[in-house]
Amino acid sequence: MPLSVPGVNTADVGLIGLEVMGKNLALNMADHGYKVAVYNRTTAKTEGFVQENPPSVFGTTGGGLVPAADLKDFVASIKAPRRIVLLVKAGTPTDATIDGLKPLLSKGDIVVDGGNAEWQDTMRRERALNEMGLLFVGSGVSGGETGARFGPSLMPGGAPEAWKHLEPIWRAIAAKVDERTGKPLDGASPGKPVSGGVACTTYIGPGGAGHYVKMVHNGIEYGDMQLICEAYHFMRECLGMSNADMSAVFTDWNSGDLDSFLVEITADILRQKDPVTGKDFVDVVLDAAGQKGTGKWTINSALDLGVAAPTMAEAVFARTMSSNKAERVAASAILKPPAKHHHDTGNTQKNWVQCVRDALYCSKICSYAQGFALMNAAGKANNWNLKLGEISMIFRGGCIIRARFLQKIFEAYQKNPSLANLLLDPYFAGVIEQNQANWRAVVARSAVDGVPVPAFASALSYFDSYRSARLPANLLQAQRDYFGAHTYERIDEPRGQFYHIDWPESGRPQLRV
């Protein structure tokens, strides 16, 4: 059935892009009483979406969908100032959509990019639209299709004036958590949204701040996933555990400090059977991981800002290594593993499972410490005034890195908003002090058994480097001065004064300014 022309000013908000995320976010807004104008470049997709979701889907909320066949009618159907959410592919498609909207918008209208855009692109788009009197918001949206439908974590950045217009919608549709415990409030269903609790959204900052924080969220997500995979790999290869036994372990862990979305779904995955063969599902999945680039963006930014983020970097490299499947298979026939090593028989399997649990938790703390240190540095470099405690709060529900211990991060920044690194918080320092022996045991046994744990090991090295008052960079600086006259600083002179000596004669040091 062809779409009819929508009435003028009949919609509260508009959404462009009806792939999985766009559809679910539109339904979420309608669930909360909003009339949502919807448009897709392929008209048939708009027609099908509206037919699948008649007014009855939204119960008595008063919300609904207002379909449009072309951009002009779509824009005209939205009340001023227009709030238009884009959920289209990042890059050129986003720019093309914005270009199509520009001549149809009026001064004061707000365009919201909810895709995984690079934060520099967000800055560029905001400048261009501001010159036309239009407002722009770059908002991270995390939680996958279920989060988009029933409550995502939302990370908006842009002008405060733009946030003022978007805030009621974003607070309504965001995931909700218990104010005291930080535990997610679940139970939403079509037409029956969750009420109460604290919304998992807050104003992040100006310009590209929202998309930057979403980028780092994704970098942390890379680290989280790799760490969990290494725990699985250790239990499988070093302890010889079955998938069913590991599923039970992850289920148990999910009832304690490691309670998180990713641990929860790992337990589910390990008990899943393949519908084709009847084998354990995880054993028929090819060990070659894909990636969409946000992890790489995170590491590039860390390098640009001079922030150490080795665990997230190793997670990215681990995916890259996994993708070289054919080369690895060939190498496995040539490169031999270490000889079987005799381990202390006094350490039972249960002891080692506890060791893995402790290694996972300590490594997770270090990975998040790196992510928050990166956001702190970016906030200072771009004058974003990022409130890291509030950011940790919006990660507590709706998003992929949702985890119980984010409440502890929130509390750490509540106590000390200027905390330089999460490792310095008494709670996290205490956890690592108590559990680091087991962490070290897992990394050591992995090395002896030839089982790769790049994220576990890099997190441990990060901790050991950060706690070291002296590192071997003194020799490195001497090397640089020797071969390239790059200068060095001295321990007996103030910081910021640089010296050079003439090699190899090694005459008296010369102060370089």
Side-chain angles (χ1 to χ4, degrees):
M1 179 186 298
L3 297 177
S4 59
V5 177
V8 174
N9 297 333
T10 55
D12 303 301
V13 59
L15 185 140
I16 298 177
L18 296 178
E19 296 300 331
V20 173
M21 289 293 287
K23 287 180 178 179
N24 283 295
L25 204 69
L27 295 175
N28 189 349
M29 290 189 284
D31 269 352
H32 286 84
Y34 290 98
K35 296 288 187 185
V36 186
V38 291
Y39 170 80
N40 197 80
R41 186 177 59 176
T42 305
T43 305
K45 186 165 288 188
T46 308
E47 292 172 347
F49 178 54
V50 174
Q51 289 171 7
E52 292 166 4
N53 296 280
S56 59
V57 170
F58 310 109
T60 59
T61 64
L65 304 177
V66 180
D70 62 49
L71 271 181
K72 183 177 180 181
D73 290 338
F74 167 81
V75 171
S77 71
I78 306 168
K79 298 172 186 175
R82 300 178 182 92
R83 297 169 290 191
I84 298 176
V85 181
L86 310 184
L87 274 167
V88 298
K89 190 174 181 180
T92 301
T94 298
D95 284 325
T97 303
I98 292 173
D99 288 342
L101 284 171
K102 283 178 183 177
L104 304 173
L105 299 179
S106 303
K107 185 176 181 180
D109 287 346
I110 305 105
V111 176
V112 182
D113 179 10
N116 267 335
E118 288 197 66
W119 66 277
Q120 296 96 330
D121 284 345
T122 299
M123 302 275 279
R124 169 179 57 80
R125 290 167 183 145
E126 183 186 36
R127 286 192 297 269
L129 290 177
N130 286 171
E131 290 175 0
M132 300 176 61
L134 303 172
L135 298 173
F136 187 74
V137 172
S139 180
V141 178
S142 180
E145 59 182 288
T146 300
R149 181 66 182 88
F150 298 114
S153 174
L154 298 166
M155 296 150 250
E161 182 184 355
W163 168 237
K164 179 179 67 175
H165 291 290
L166 182 63
E167 182 176 8
I169 300 175
W170 252 219
R171 290 201 181 280
I173 69 172
K176 307 297 189 301
V177 297
D178 181 271
E179 184 173 7
R180 183 179 59 86
T181 66
K183 184 177 177 60
L185 301 178
D186 299 320
S189 60
K192 296 180 180 179
V194 168
S195 60
V198 178
C200 290
T201 187
T202 190
Y203 174 66
I204 301 297
H211 274 141
Y212 190 92
V213 167
K214 176 57 163 61
M215 177 192 75
V216 177
H217 163 284
N218 286 16
I220 293 172
E221 177 186 312
Y222 272 59
D224 252 357
M225 295 174 73
Q226 178 63 25
L227 290 169
I228 290 170
C229 289
E230 291 179 13
Y232 152 79
H233 202 201
F234 182 93
M235 289 189 285
R236 175 188 171 97
E237 299 298 324
C238 296
L239 307 185
M241 294 175 64
S242 69
N243 293 325
D245 287 342
M246 287 186 284
S247 176
V249 167
F250 279 104
T251 298
D252 178 61
W253 288 351
N254 197 51
S255 65
D257 291 334
L258 285 170
D259 172 19
S260 69
F261 172 75
L262 287 169
V263 168
E264 177 184 339
I265 68 170
T266 299
D268 288 345
I269 290 166
L270 288 169
R271 69 171 67 98
Q272 176 67 39
K273 296 296 183 181
D274 175 40
V276 177
T277 64
K279 298 178 181 178
D280 288 353
F281 173 73
V282 72
D283 291 337
V284 302
V285 177
L286 185 69
D287 58 319
Q291 53 186 310
K292 292 187 176 180
T294 50
K296 182 180 72 173
W297 297 348
T298 305
I299 304 313
N300 287 345
S301 180
L303 292 170
D304 290 340
L305 291 169
V307 175
T311 306
M312 293 187 290
E314 287 294 351
V316 175
F317 289 134
R319 293 197 190 191
T320 303
M321 179 66 79
S322 78
S323 67
N324 295 327
K325 174 67 174 178
E327 190 173 338
R328 287 189 291 112
V329 170
S332 70
I334 301 170
L335 306 175
K336 301 306 178 186
K340 291 293 183 181
H341 190 271
H342 173 72
H343 292 286
D344 181 4
T345 55
N347 281 325
T348 66
Q349 187 179 84
K350 183 177 181 181
N351 296 140
W352 278 109
V353 168
Q354 181 63 37
C355 287
V356 179
R357 179 263 175 208
D358 294 344
L360 179 56
Y361 195 33
C362 290
S363 298
K364 183 184 180 80
I365 290 169
C366 287
S367 183
Y368 278 67
Q370 294 163 35
F372 276 79
L374 179 56
M375 287 188 284
N376 186 38
K380 291 177 179 177
N382 294 283
N383 296 314
W384 286 337
N385 189 30
L386 298 182
K387 295 179 173 59
L388 299 181
E390 291 185 11
I391 291 170
S392 68
M393 179 188 72
I394 69 173
F395 289 164
R396 293 181 299 178
C399 65
I400 304 301
I401 66 171
R402 169 184 66 75
R404 177 185 296 190
F405 101 127
L406 279 158
Q407 180 69 16
K408 295 297 185 182
I409 296 179
F410 173 69
E411 292 169 3
Y413 285 111
Q414 285 288 96
K415 288 182 292 185
N416 183 5
S418 60
L419 185 67
N421 190 293
L422 285 174
L423 294 176
L424 302 178
D425 175 73
Y427 170 78
F428 294 116
V431 167
I432 291 184
E433 180 180 357
Q434 181 179 354
N435 299 306
Q436 65 172 294
N438 284 347
W439 185 15
R440 295 180 189 281
V442 168
V443 173
R445 179 167 175 179
S446 298
V448 170
D449 286 2
V451 174
V453 287
F456 276 173
S458 70
L460 181 57
S461 290
Y462 175 82
F463 170 72
D464 283 336
S465 295
Y466 192 68
R467 67 169 184 80
S468 295
R470 185 177 178 87
L471 291 170
N474 54 321
L475 177 58
L476 189 149
Q477 288 298 80
Q479 292 169 336
R480 294 179 74 243
D481 191 59
Y482 189 108
F483 67 69
H486 294 297
T487 73
Y488 62 93
E489 293 177 276
R490 298 179 59 86
I491 62 173
D492 53 3
E493 297 291 347
R495 289 297 306 270
Q497 291 187 6
F498 293 88
Y499 295 84
H500 168 66
I501 60 175
D502 293 323
W503 300 89
E505 292 83 3
S506 302
R508 184 173 178 81
Q510 299 174 357
L511 178 64
R512 292 291 179 89
V513 294

